[in-house]
Amino acid sequence: MIISGKELAKEIKEHIARKVASYKVEYGREPHLSVILVGDDPSSHQYVRSKGRYAGEVGFTHEEIILPESITETELIAKVEELNNNPGVDGILVQLPLPKHIRKHRVIEAIDPGKDVDGFQSKNVDALWHKLPGTRACTPKGILKLLDKANVEIAGKHAVVIGRSNIVGFPVAKLLLDRNATVTIAHRHTRDLAEITRQADILVVAIGQPRLITGDMVKDGVAVIDVGITRDVESGKYFGDVDFETVSPKASVITPVPGGVGPMTIACLMENTLDAYVKHMES
Ligand code: NAD
């Protein structure tokens, strides 16, 4: 069974659009999302455009703030602070990666935690680790929604997460742990990856190595979430970290690439923006 992130994201989009229409009457304005993009990396431009398109479709107002690669860290932080202080802005997102001369953590730390719709600011990360209310990072949140949509039982199951980035692997492992899975985190230094992946009832792969996980590395009935997405320069095709052809016949459920986790990340970003707006309006 293929779990379509596209379909679930569409359902979420319709739900958010209905909420926006009624909140607009109640609060007198739509939610507003500001996206900052530094430099001219084509993939980042594409991500920002899809976020803007989705925001428009759910009825948010949004702006893309495109800044030159040469901007200094201080100038970028000043821009973030300006948005923090703007009462018309509900959500702020700084598109990653940033140029090497800018310290990413300094910029993310500058975002008002209440407007940090990516859930990367340390107050929100802290809230995740302490099981407190806060904004949860979009991709991990989307992964849990995909598993729930496919009725995958999580409690008591062995979940193997490959990759331990702060954006995906690490937080998704924590969310699965909080749902009472037994979690193993594998990474670049893991010695026998196949031995570990073969134990997985739920396998989440977030490494950025196209088709690294093959059919012989999984057991029958595994639920597979493929987060990785790599574009092949020659063919222009996108590949996941999982070899779909050999893994899908063994999997009970699997996400496709593209059309799996990607659309859910954007859907959860919009959900986080709506939540930030409601809190903002009610404060
Ligand atoms: P990252 O580079 O920050 O982290 C990669 C992780 O994979 C590291 O922890 C590393 O130890 C591990 N790793 C690398 N090679 C490995 C190997 N051979 N065996 C075991 N572990 C290995 O990456 P990230 O930001 O977590 O992203 C991972 C992938 O997910 C990328 O392809 C990225 O494009 C994709 N991604 C997709 C979405 C989405 O919405 N679809 C969102 C975020 C990231």
Side-chain angles (χ1 to χ4, degrees):
M1 178 186 150
I2 297 173
I3 326 174
S4 168
K6 247 190 201 167
E7 254 172 49
L8 183 53
K10 190 166 168 261
E11 282 172 29
I12 295 173
K13 185 155 82 176
E14 286 162 3
H15 177 75
I16 295 176
R18 282 194 297 276
K19 290 216 154 181
V20 170
S22 71
Y23 281 135
K24 196 179 155 188
V25 175
E26 195 176 342
Y27 298 129
R29 72 161 174 87
E30 304 91 338
H32 181 88
L33 173 66
S34 295
V35 180
I36 298 180
L37 174 59
V38 180
D40 42 31
D41 173 65
S43 307
S44 295
H45 273 267
Q46 195 189 329
Y47 288 134
V48 167
R49 270 198 305 274
S50 357
K51 287 167 186 171
R53 194 170 52 242
Y54 199 124
E57 283 168 8
V58 295
F60 296 174
T61 54
H62 61 98
E63 62 182 330
E64 285 169 23
I65 302 165
I66 316 249
L67 301 169
E69 182 102 13
S70 57
I71 194 166
T72 65
E73 186 179 287
T74 312
E75 286 165 339
L76 181 55
I77 289 175
K79 186 70 209 172
V80 168
E81 280 165 357
E82 187 189 311
L83 296 172
N84 286 343
N85 295 326
N86 182 341
V89 172
D90 305 294
I92 303 170
L93 183 155
V94 177
Q95 184 65 40
L96 301 176
L98 289 170
K100 287 202 171 61
H101 66 276
I102 297 175
R103 286 167 293 180
K104 178 179 82 178
H105 71 277
R106 291 291 297 270
V107 177
I108 288 171
E109 274 319 284
I111 303 174
D112 175 340
K115 295 189 180 189
D116 165 40
V117 285
D118 254 341
F120 295 160
Q121 210 271 352
S122 63
K123 281 221 171 79
N124 286 317
V125 176
D126 236 44
L128 167 71
W129 290 91
H130 290 105
K131 289 201 211 176
L132 294 170
T135 305
R136 301 293 185 247
C138 305
T139 304
K141 187 174 166 179
I143 290 170
L144 270 286
K145 282 183 191 282
L146 284 167
L147 289 170
D148 287 339
K149 177 72 181 175
N151 291 318
V152 174
E153 208 181 314
I154 298 175
K157 299 291 177 185
H158 186 180
V160 173
V161 178
I162 318 180
R164 55 177 172 179
S165 74
N166 288 330
I167 293 176
V168 192
F170 216 31
V172 85
K174 173 68 165 99
L175 290 179
L176 288 163
L177 193 61
D178 289 347
R179 294 279 298 272
N180 297 322
T182 301
V183 181
T184 301
I185 305 178
H187 45 79
R188 204 184 297 280
H189 301 277
T190 300
R191 291 245 166 91
D192 190 347
L193 190 61
E195 191 200 323
I196 290 168
T197 54
R198 280 190 208 109
Q199 296 171 30
D201 301 310
I202 299 168
L203 179 64
V204 180
V205 194
I207 52 184
Q209 304 276 336
R211 294 187 282 186
L212 185 85
I213 306 303
T214 45
D216 57 318
M217 295 172 76
V218 298
K219 71 175 179 187
D220 284 328
V222 61
V224 180
I225 302 286
D226 189 356
V227 187
I229 183 156
T230 308
R231 187 170 177 272
D232 180 64
V233 189
E234 272 179 24
S235 63
K237 280 189 179 171
Y238 288 94
F239 291 103
D241 291 342
V242 172
D243 180 36
F244 191 86
E245 266 178 39
T246 56
V247 172
S248 60
K250 293 179 91 176
S252 55
V253 295
I254 185 165
T255 54
V257 175
V261 175
M264 288 304 297
T265 298
I266 300 190
C268 291
L269 172 69
M270 299 306 145
E271 207 177 75
N272 286 351
T273 305
L274 183 70
D275 290 348
Y277 156 83
V278 172
K279 278 191 203 120
H280 189 179
M281 291 295 124
E282 287 176 353
S283 65

